Amino acid sequence: MPAVLDLFPCEPPPYNNARGYIEMIYNKAVECMPRKKMQELQLERLKRIVSYAYDNVPFYRRKLDEVKLRPEHIKTLDDIRLIPYTVKEEMRANYPYDLLAVPLKKIVRIHASSGTTGKPVIAGYTRADFEIWSESVARIIVAAGGREDDIVQISFGYGLFTGALGLHQGWERIGATVVPVSSGNTERQVMILKDLKVTALVSTPSYAMHIAETAERLGVKKEGLCLRLGLFGSEASTPEMHRALAEKLGVFPTENYGLTEIIGPGVSGECEEKAGMHIAEDYFYPEIMDAENNAPKPEGEYGELILTTLTKEGMPILRYRTKDITSITYEPCKCGRTSARMSRIKGRTDDMLKIRGVNVFPSQIESVILGMKEVGNHYEIHVQRKGYLDYLEIYVEVVDAGLLTNYARLEALREKVRGAIRTVLNLDVKVRLCEPNTLKRFEGKAKRVVDERNL
Ligand code: DLL
């Protein structure tokens, strides 16, 4: 058996963080690397990954050939801007396996993004990718304050979604006790939190809130729990939400970020200073671009986050347009890490909604509605919040007004629409059937999404 600290590649620095604990750094050599050295490492890896993608992924060879870019043209980090972007639509167009750089037999796991129109985005991992993934997640866990003696409840849904297994591997890597509860059955979640003396909770912030409220309803007080740490991600959270989570569950709440296309969770996460999410820059090269004119944004300014995987073997991705809006600072953090930090995601450049962990594009709902002759072509998507969970209510007009006086037929139609939407989104929605010609019409760009959440 290795000694406890052997699991950490380096000794923790003698540093007391804001909460008076000794801060640990999982991989000090990279997380505290001087900027110049980090840039040298990034450049070396960038050159390697561009030529690797060019040689092994026909999609990238075509893409670079189209702009007459050869891997050897990449001489500085700024030359990354010569590489065309990769967008989600291209990833879908290459479904399922055309972006892989290795034969399928070298792929040891497949994940996929949730609820995308038609085909999901597939991510394939080799053994080497698992190493990177577990390491990057272990780093954000340790940065957040997670330790080997934690008992961790993973309340993300296990399955194709990267969140559950991604965090699971990272916690296992640091030697914690993982309780893979998955999402749902919230009363049972509370029971397990309490009975198993869980110390760390991993979930979306909204689900954590739901768990907190359920605990309240069941008369389980935070004093009766052993929870001390929360790792929340996969959707936006606000400082108010964190404050409420700290208050209700007694956790130190932290946020982390990631996406399936790049690896899943592990791209970035908050340390105990809570001063932005530290990016694993030696694995994922970040840029902030002006989404309108494609000019790079100066440090500290908001723009679209573009990510390049610097080391991924199974599915290297060059300059992925995340559509997430954030800003980056390169100031070293008080925790001792020198890695770039990104601010909370401020929004997206597209209309994607994230509802209880599921990515929802209004166009998916549109495709269902437009495919059903019993309902009209106009619809509204109402986003509602009950407690801390988000719900969708879809308003759509019936074509035959006569239906409105026939309860059984009306109900049958409502069920049909609901079922069809559930099949596409993998998410339960409410459906409200309205009289013909009652929904708002638009002269310009239609505003389909009505956000009733008062965020
Ligand atoms: O949500 C990966 C993940 C799992 C991250 C668990 C953190 C924890 P996808 O399902 O592919 O992957 O969704 C990726 O979710 O482009 C963002 O729009 C959004 N997102 C993820 N984390 C955050 C966050 C996972 N902390 C998409 N704040 C991304 C705001 C987030 N949005």
Side-chain angles (χ1 to χ4, degrees), residues 381-401:
I381 300 168
H382 291 239
V383 190
Q384 297 161 347
R385 178 160 285 186
K386 291 207 184 86
Y388 288 90
L389 284 189
D390 292 337
Y391 292 88
L392 292 183
E393 186 165 23
I394 316 296
Y395 288 53
V396 63
E397 295 169 355
V398 295
V399 169
D400 173 9

Side-chain angles (χ1 to χ4, degrees), residues 275-402:
M277 294 183 273
H278 287 274
I279 305 176
E281 277 183 275
D282 53 327
Y283 295 148
F284 315 111
Y285 184 78
E287 300 169 79
I288 299 288
M289 304 296 284
D290 187 321
E292 313 260 284
N293 64 16
N294 283 331
K297 286 281 203 176
E299 178 172 351
E301 282 191 24
Y302 281 94
E304 181 178 346
L305 175 67
I306 312 291
L307 289 169
T308 296
T309 64
L310 291 176
T311 46
K312 250 174 78 206
E313 186 183 51
M315 205 177 81
I317 299 292
L318 307 180
R319 300 196 86 207
Y320 185 66
R321 290 193 74 147
T322 66
K323 306 211 171 175
D324 291 317
I325 300 169
T326 182
S327 65
I328 290 185
T329 172
Y330 291 91
E331 277 289 305
C333 181
K334 280 195 203 149
C335 71
R337 291 176 183 80
T338 52
S339 43
R341 284 169 288 148
M342 55 185 264
S343 58
R344 282 170 195 275
I345 303 293
K346 200 167 120 181
R348 289 186 48 93
T349 61
D350 66 5
D351 51 3
M352 186 179 95
L353 298 162
K354 192 112 194 189
I355 306 293
R356 283 175 277 139
V358 178
N359 299 341
V360 174
F361 287 93
S363 55
Q364 296 173 276
I365 295 171
E366 178 167 311
S367 68
V368 171
I369 288 170
L370 268 53
M372 295 179 90
K373 58 183 187 329
E374 303 94 320
V375 294
N377 290 343
H378 295 274
Y379 62 94
E380 284 174 17
I381 300 168
H382 291 239
V383 190
Q384 297 161 347
R385 178 160 285 186
K386 291 207 184 86
Y388 288 90
L389 284 189
D390 292 337
Y391 292 88
L392 292 183
E393 186 165 23
I394 316 296
Y395 288 53
V396 63
E397 295 169 355
V398 295
V399 169
D400 173 9

Side-chain angles (χ1 to χ4, degrees), residues 156 162-163 234-236 255-260 324 345 348 354:
F156 278 133
T162 54
S234 187
E235 64 180 15
E255 172 165 7
N256 64 87
Y257 166 89
L259 61 167
T260 312
D324 291 317
I345 303 293
R348 289 186 48 93
K354 192 112 194 189

Side-chain angles (χ1 to χ4, degrees), residues 46-65 69-72 98-103 313-314 316 318:
L46 177 67
K47 288 178 179 170
R48 217 180 322 142
I49 201 77
V50 173
S51 78
Y52 176 74
Y54 187 82
D55 291 342
N56 295 288
V57 186
F59 165 76
Y60 278 120
R61 176 174 287 255
R62 279 195 305 275
K63 223 171 155 63
L64 298 196
D65 281 347
L69 182 72
R70 304 274 311 171
E72 55 273 22
D98 286 353
L99 290 179
L100 295 185
V102 295
E313 186 183 51
L318 307 180

